[in-house]
Amino acid sequence: MCGIIARIGADDGVDRLLGGLERLEYRGYDSAGIAVENGVGLAVQKCSGQVNELKESVSDSGIYGGIGIGHTRWSTHGPPTDDNAHPHTDSSGDVAVVHNGVIDNHAELREELKAEGREFTSDTDTEVIPHLFERHLEDHAPEEAFREAVRDLDGSYAIAAMVEGEDAVFAARRGSPLVLGVGDGEYFLASDVPAFLEHTDEVVYFEDDEVGVIRPDDVELSTLAGEPVERSSEIVSWDPEETGKGGYDHFMRKEIETQNTSLTNAIQGRIDDEGEEPDLDDFPAGTFEGVERVQFVACGTSFHAAKYGAQLLNKAGVAAQAFRASEYDDAIPVDSDTLVVAVTQSGETADTLGALDRATAGRARTVAVTNVVGSSAAREADDALFIRAGPEIGVAATKTFSSQVVALSLLAHRISADAAGDSPWDDPRAYYDELKRLPDHVQTVLDREIAEGVADDYLGSDAFFFIGRGLAYPVAIEGALKFKEITYEHAEGFAAGELKHGPLALVTPQTPIFTVVTGGEDETTVTNAQEAQTRGAPIVAVSPADHRITDVADAHLPIPDTHPDLAGLLANVQLQLLSYHTADSLGRSIDKPRNLAKSVTVE
Ligand code: M6R
């Protein structure tokens, strides 16, 4: 979704702004632009299309300046045209604004402002902001005028604004992410940390309803009401190297291939060497006493991880359910005995944050399971468990799914032990020992390089189906989501037992069935696969080498033997590789699939 970058310094910062926009590309966008103050006036360059095209026009124009704002736009109000690209300006061109979010009362404001004679040049909701700022500058100094303009807005926003002649960027946040980077003699503002991580790892997160005035040598934070805010900076632990491709052709490939490292980080220090319960610092034994039921809320890939977590809890006798966050409405019973776990890689997904709000309103206790320290979910939930996967740049979630499942499995062990007064698992030690081996098992899958050949064999099929039962079901639906997301081919995931209740009508020799079996409760899955095979569909088993399904399958994506609660993760790595190689053969835009955004900040 839209991305904001601002740079506030004394020397020319245009390259830093453009570099920041490149780092934001992964969020998804269809136009881009910058505005800089160069001592003579505000210079704006913007266009629909790619940051590369913007770079060319900026270079041709020769604009420069130490203080500037930039934006990548993912269209919501109005198509991706040059006029609709940010920054937007007021009638005089003295104010420039970039915005992420949705202004709910933009239509009324636009009518009012037009009636005052202010001229609009775009279809966007954002354009009301520079006009409001201009209106209040008629009666107020810039900081107060900005505050007044922000007070006029209903909806969600992260805003960065400039006024000609002012050595400052004005910023505000409500419901959309905004973080300040404290550099050496310069400051940055951005929608997320990777945008400026190569320049600084020292950050200050804006809270909702806060306003910032950032000058080259000074930052003032205050509430929207004008009360000063004191907040210390913090250091983010991400390595700038992690935001580069590191020699791989695509971020997605890199993120698949480095899962042994991200999983090692997810597990590190969280498994007691001898104990029968996880060692989660912020969640000591007894933390979840009194919890009667667990509700997970999440979207997309995170929902599939949540489903995995819910099934683990069910196996341990705890009532748990996973909801798609956008379907978690007021009709769902929630009370103070309910634990609501929001699973979100970015921590900024609007649907998930909305569900978290509903849970809080219902007096539930809340935990965010997220990758981003300082994200909205981490700050809004009562507690946070970090998956420690490092930055994920590819729009398709890969390493973060694996780390989410690991973190959720440890949380499930903590919750179920607290609920039962003791670990309800048959042999928790066996599980923890296998969990420690998981990064090595993932490496074994990666080293085998079988998925590429299977991807080639089935290229050109009419559709791709993925089935599984129990813990293999979330893996099947995740496999299908990944496949459709980056290959643009038709792919569906089904509960194996559901095939015969409808989807079998779709099955032909041109519809391979990727059948996930984990060595758990999946004997019947073999029968379900055979029912499809009898009707002509090729079966690709994703399973341990000695599983019975390999006797009937037409092809095999093998996974190492491991604990049945972990086998799904290894199957998922094979399916990630399958999607990747298919998309690569089809020449798709793997890291930035069409129409999609990494961080979906609108409902
Ligand atoms: O940041 P989140 O985990 O909350 O994002 C949720 C979904 O938008 C995300 O998982 C999406 O489905 C992925 N692009 C799938 O690969």
Side-chain angles (χ1 to χ4, degrees):
M1 300 250 120
C2 302
I4 288 177
I5 178 79
R7 190 271 182 170
I8 305 98
D11 54 341
D12 183 36
V14 167
D15 284 350
R16 280 164 143 65
L17 280 178
L18 293 171
L21 290 181
E22 284 177 324
R23 297 278 183 204
L24 289 167
E25 282 188 291
Y26 79 96
R27 294 169 66 90
Y29 73 106
D30 40 43
S31 49
I34 63 168
V36 283
E37 164 70 45
N38 57 17
V40 186
L42 280 185
V44 177
Q45 285 287 323
K46 57 182 189 171
C47 60
S48 61
Q50 303 293 302
V51 172
N52 267 343
E53 293 162 59
L54 175 72
K55 279 173 93 172
E56 275 175 35
S57 67
V58 166
S59 155
D60 292 346
S61 70
I63 63 170
Y64 65 93
I67 300 178
I69 55 179
H71 191 262
T72 49
R73 172 173 187 255
W74 190 85
S75 311
T76 53
H77 295 73
T81 60
D82 291 354
D83 283 342
N84 287 337
H86 299 212
H88 289 286
T89 51
D90 65 335
S91 313
S92 65
D94 290 346
V95 172
V97 168
V98 294
H99 160 233
N100 180 9
V102 176
I103 304 302
D104 294 337
N105 59 340
H106 73 100
E108 303 92 281
L109 289 170
R110 178 182 277 252
E111 285 317 306
E112 269 177 37
L113 291 157
K114 276 166 84 175
E116 292 170 13
R118 300 180 206 275
E119 277 177 35
F120 279 73
T121 56
S122 79
D123 310 312
T124 65
D125 55 335
T126 301
E127 199 184 345
V128 298
I129 305 172
H131 289 292
L132 287 169
F133 199 173
E134 177 190 32
R135 175 208 263 175
H136 291 296
L137 278 167
E138 288 160 13
D139 304 315
H140 298 283
E143 181 177 342
E144 194 46 32
F146 178 70
R147 208 182 288 284
E148 286 290 336
V150 174
R151 284 183 191 130
D152 290 339
L153 305 174
D154 291 337
S156 61
Y157 47 78
I159 301 169
M162 299 170 69
V163 184
E164 186 179 334
E166 286 293 316
D167 280 350
V169 167
F170 301 87
R173 168 202 156 125
R174 179 185 287 166
S176 291
L178 193 61
V179 56
L180 176 82
V182 183
D184 185 10
E186 61 186 346
Y187 291 99
F188 297 88
L189 272 174
S191 303
D192 59 24
V193 174
F196 56 67
L197 189 60
E198 62 184 311
H199 306 299
T200 181
D201 57 2
E202 187 179 344
V203 302
V204 179
Y205 292 98
F206 275 69
E207 300 281 354
D208 275 351
D209 293 324
E210 284 180 356
V211 169
V213 181
I214 303 113
R215 299 191 173 83
D217 53 1
D218 166 52
V219 175
E220 280 172 41
L221 267 187
S222 55
T223 63
L224 193 50
E227 294 299 317
V229 170
E230 292 296 328
R231 182 164 309 124
S232 325
S233 60
E234 46 193 289
I235 303 296
V236 289
S237 58
W238 288 357
D239 178 349
E241 290 283 308
E242 289 183 282
T243 60
K245 279 195 195 142
Y248 291 91
D249 287 344
H250 300 98
F251 282 108
M252 183 185 179
R253 186 71 194 264
K254 176 187 167 196
E255 287 155 4
I256 293 172
E257 296 283 343
T258 53
Q259 283 179 95
N260 51 358
T261 310
S262 48
L263 284 168
T264 303
N265 292 339
I267 296 163
Q268 194 107 48
R270 289 175 165 171
I271 306 173
D272 185 318
D273 272 345
E274 273 140 39
E276 302 229 313
E277 291 178 13
D279 196 355
L280 295 172
D281 274 352
D282 291 340
F283 304 92
T287 303
F288 298 109
E289 266 169 26
V291 167
E292 301 249 315
R293 72 196 68 77
V294 182
Q295 295 175 344
F296 292 89
V297 291
C299 304
T301 290
S302 295
F303 170 76
H304 301 150
K307 217 164 165 45
Y308 205 111
Q311 289 196 21
L312 287 175
L313 277 168
N314 292 159
K315 278 175 69 170
V318 178
Q321 227 179 326
F323 294 89
R324 295 192 187 273
S326 55
E327 296 291 323
Y328 188 77
D329 59 22
D330 294 338
I332 293 163
V334 61
D335 59 21
S336 54
D337 297 329
T338 310
L339 174 70
V340 173
V341 181
V343 186
T344 163
Q345 184 283 130
S346 61
E348 302 295 349
T349 300
D351 287 325
T352 308
L353 294 176
L356 203 50
D357 282 350
R358 283 188 282 286
T360 305
R363 296 180 300 118
R365 177 157 173 204
T366 57
V367 173
V369 175
T370 181
N371 195 28
V372 183
V373 177
S375 61
S376 300
R379 285 176 298 117
E380 285 170 24
D382 298 328
D383 295 292
L385 177 63
F386 295 104
I387 65 168
R388 305 177 185 162
E392 186 175 70
I393 308 294
V395 165
T398 51
K399 63 175 179 175
T400 54
F401 174 81
S402 307
S403 297
Q404 283 172 336
V405 169
V406 163
L408 287 171
S409 79
L410 292 170
L411 191 65
H413 277 241
R414 171 79 282 134
I415 294 169
S416 54
D418 286 353
D422 196 1
S423 175
W425 303 86
D426 281 346
D427 185 358
R429 228 20 274 170
Y431 176 77
Y432 296 136
D433 289 344
E434 272 308 291
L435 191 53
K436 282 190 192 161
R437 286 186 203 112
L438 186 66
D440 290 341
H441 288 328
V442 166
Q443 196 55 51
T444 305
V445 172
L446 294 169
D447 291 345
R448 279 184 181 155
E449 293 180 2
I450 294 173
E452 187 169 5
V454 173
D456 281 351
D457 289 346
Y458 294 100
L459 211 58
S461 299
D462 289 346
F464 300 78
F465 299 136
F466 298 75
I467 63 169
R469 164 181 269 97
L471 285 174
Y473 173 54
V475 175
I477 52 179
E478 170 58 11
L481 174 66
K482 208 85 327 166
F483 201 89
K484 71 179 78 156
E485 184 179 22
I486 62 164
T487 69
Y488 312 161
E489 296 294 307
H490 181 222
E492 290 300 330
F494 301 111
E498 278 292 299
L499 266 192
K500 57 189 177 294
H501 297 292
L504 260 191
L506 299 171
V507 158
T508 74
Q510 286 306 313
T511 59
I513 315 267
F514 295 87
T515 307
V516 183
V517 294
T518 58
E521 312 118 358
D522 43 29
E523 274 310 306
T524 327
T525 305
V526 181
T527 311
N528 299 141
Q530 284 178 301
E531 286 157 3
Q533 196 178 38
T534 308
R535 285 147 183 100
I539 300 302
V540 183
V542 192
S543 75
D546 58 357
H547 196 281
R548 194 170 73 80
I549 190 157
T550 58
D551 299 336
V552 299
D554 301 283
H556 184 213
L557 290 169
I559 59 172
D561 285 331
T562 186
H563 192 284
D565 290 355
L566 293 169
L569 275 181
L570 301 174
N572 184 59
V573 175
Q574 282 289 23
L575 295 179
Q576 290 171 350
L577 290 167
L578 173 84
S579 296
Y580 175 82
H581 288 298
T582 306
D584 199 28
S585 296
L586 292 169
R588 302 299 190 223
S589 167
I590 291 182
D591 285 333
K592 286 177 271 170
R594 68 184 178 203
N595 305 333
L596 299 181
K598 180 71 180 165
S599 183
V600 184
T601 50
V602 292
E603 281 184 307

